[in-house]
Amino acid sequence: VLLRESPAAAARLRPGETILPVAALAVRPAGDGPPLIRTLLAAAGAPDAGTDWLAAFADLAVPPLLRLLSRGVAPAAHGQNLLVVLDAHARPRRLVYRDLADVRLSPGRLARHGFDAAPVGGRVIDDDPEVLRTMLFGHLFGTTFGTLVSALADHDRTAGTRLWRVVAAAAGRACDGLPASPENRADRAALFAPELRVKALTLMRLRGVDRDEWMPLPNPLADPPQRECTS
């Protein structure tokens, strides 16, 4: 039996705020209709504010998660683990992360930043930078932002391209806020590489495996000009 505290308690909600998994924002009502995020924005009087909303969400999510990766922690920040606190106007205000079962810890990176790895073992501990990057980038950008962009663009490819540029800009700013170490430069190069490794859930189910399967797809962040992390 697993007992979990309500995310609402951890988020310390203020009057008018609500919290929900990011994945819920892409849910459509029974009988079809627009995704929840579009309905919320329309109800708030901002039916065309998808770009502004995504920019605000990206500025909340990307910098702290890239900073964690830099220091040796790679969360599986997909839309079920990452929860967003919305104010009364559906604007993103804070984030809550839950479920540490799939987090990856790099003892080497942690030690270089003055931290000891937690006394855990198994798959949680991994110094391979490719594993760390895949865990964070594949879930955060491949799943979480992929779902949000799809919901906000709603089959409009031009809008989708514009929204991905917003995400890429936020990722570039987050990179700029990190020290110009070799590890950070390598992380940044992988983030904007031509391909992004994403979890192949359908393939995993067809094969009946209990381990993660990943596959490379064209990276929607790769179009902007390449930029280096600077201090």
Side-chain angles (χ1 to χ4, degrees), residues 144-156:
T144 299
F145 278 105
T147 299
L148 289 172
V149 167
S150 178
L152 288 167
D154 205 15
H155 309 300
D156 184 335

Side-chain angles (χ1 to χ4, degrees), residues 32-66:
D32 206 12
L36 177 60
I37 181 58
R38 292 173 64 89
T39 301
L40 291 174
L41 291 175
D48 230 4
T51 301
D52 292 340
W53 190 95
L54 190 66
F57 178 84
D59 284 337
L60 274 179
V62 179
L65 289 170
L66 288 188

Side-chain angles (χ1 to χ4, degrees), residues 160-175:
T161 298
R162 183 176 66 250
L163 291 167
W164 274 117
R165 287 175 183 157
V166 169
V167 179
R173 290 191 298 271
C175 244

Side-chain angles (χ1 to χ4, degrees), residues 94-105:
R94 299 187 305 286
L95 298 174
V96 173
Y97 183 84
R98 67 179 181 184
D99 195 347
L100 298 173
D102 281 331
V103 71
R104 295 294 183 272
L105 302 177

